[in-house]
DNA sequence: GCCAACGTTGGC
DNA sequence: GCCAACGTTGGC
């Protein structure tokens, strides 16, 4: 089992939206590294930190769980979608998505707080220049974060 | 295969 | 709104 952190702009899709929906299709990822994580490594039941990005106070906002293995992202085939990709075909899909299930909301743990813990020095999203919307979280990092959230 | 130009991300 | 950092594109 692997642990993950998934970013979402709350103005697009927030932890409250996920709570309301119960689960969601994580479509629209158009970065190869993030796609590969979903397609090659994510398994049903993997725990997920739900992170709010590009907002007033970015940070961890809740917990979720992978609820479906990766399969082709429908939006790549839809000419009306912002995520349409003319290079993709049904025979050779280019983009994949998993599904994610709501677990619970947490207190907001801001990125400024995350940066203060030496235990989280290796957390991927804190690395300089990091832009990946999906990153693995080490078991030790996961345990430490959960302890701070309770 | 190189690399400059461009677009995007995302914290501040 | 700024800008550093990064990924992608496309000409050569």
């Amino acid at each position: 089992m692997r642990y993950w952190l998934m970013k979402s702009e709350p103005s697009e899709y927030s932890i409250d939206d996920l709570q309301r929906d119960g689960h969601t299709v994580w479509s629209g990822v158009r970065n190869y590294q993030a796609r590969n994580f979903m397609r090659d490594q994510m398994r049903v039941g993997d725990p997920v930190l739900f992170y709010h990005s590009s907002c007033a106070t970015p940070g961890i906002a809740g917990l979720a769980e992978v609820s479906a293995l990766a399969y082709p992202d429908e939006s790549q085939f839809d000419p009306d979608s912002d995520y349409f990709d003319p290079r993709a075909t049904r025979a050779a899909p280019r983009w994949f998505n998993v599904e994610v299930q709501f677990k619970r909301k947490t207190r907001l743990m801001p990125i400024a707080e995350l940066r203060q813990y030496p235990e989280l020095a290796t957390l991927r999203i804190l690395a300089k220049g990091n832009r990946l919307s999906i990153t693995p979280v080490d078991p030790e990092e996961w345990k430490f974060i959960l302890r701070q959230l309770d």
Side-chain angles (χ1 to χ4, degrees):
Chain A
M1 179 169 69
R2 289 186 166 89
Y3 299 91
W4 303 97
L5 182 147
M6 300 175 84
K7 293 183 193 173
S8 183
E9 301 185 17
S11 61
E12 293 297 316
Y13 198 82
S14 70
I15 189 70
D16 291 315
D17 294 324
L18 185 59
Q19 181 171 37
R20 179 199 62 215
D21 296 342
H23 71 101
T24 194
V25 180
W26 208 266
S27 62
V29 171
R30 295 294 180 268
N31 170 281
Y32 291 106
Q33 251 185 293
R35 178 203 67 182
N36 292 348
F37 282 140
M38 286 198 285
R39 190 193 57 189
D40 304 336
Q41 295 193 30
M42 282 184 149
R43 295 295 175 262
V44 172
D46 282 359
V48 173
L49 297 169
F50 194 103
Y51 179 92
H52 283 173
S53 66
S54 294
C55 55
T57 308
I60 294 166
L63 302 180
E65 187 177 288
V66 176
S67 55
L69 276 180
Y71 57 88
D73 181 336
E74 272 303 311
S75 64
Q76 69 192 304
F77 307 122
D78 177 5
D80 295 329
S81 168
D82 288 343
Y83 300 110
F84 177 63
D85 186 341
R87 302 163 299 183
T89 64
R90 297 226 172 241
R94 186 172 292 239
W95 305 110
F96 292 78
N97 52 228
V98 295
E99 291 182 13
V100 162
Q101 183 175 55
F102 177 78
K103 295 301 281 186
R104 65 179 172 95
K105 289 181 70 172
T106 63
R107 74 174 174 89
L108 181 67
M109 194 173 175
I111 188 168
E113 179 186 345
L114 295 172
R115 289 192 191 285
Q116 288 173 358
Y117 300 119
E119 292 88 342
L120 300 180
T122 56
L123 194 68
R124 312 293 198 287
I125 58 156
L126 300 183
K128 187 173 184 174
N130 163 77
R131 286 177 8 186
L132 262 187
S133 63
I134 299 175
T135 49
V137 175
D138 294 340
E140 300 74 27
E141 295 167 340
W142 175 274
K143 275 179 228 156
F144 181 82
I145 290 169
L146 276 229
R147 227 178 298 135
Q148 311 310 312
L149 287 172
D150 291 332

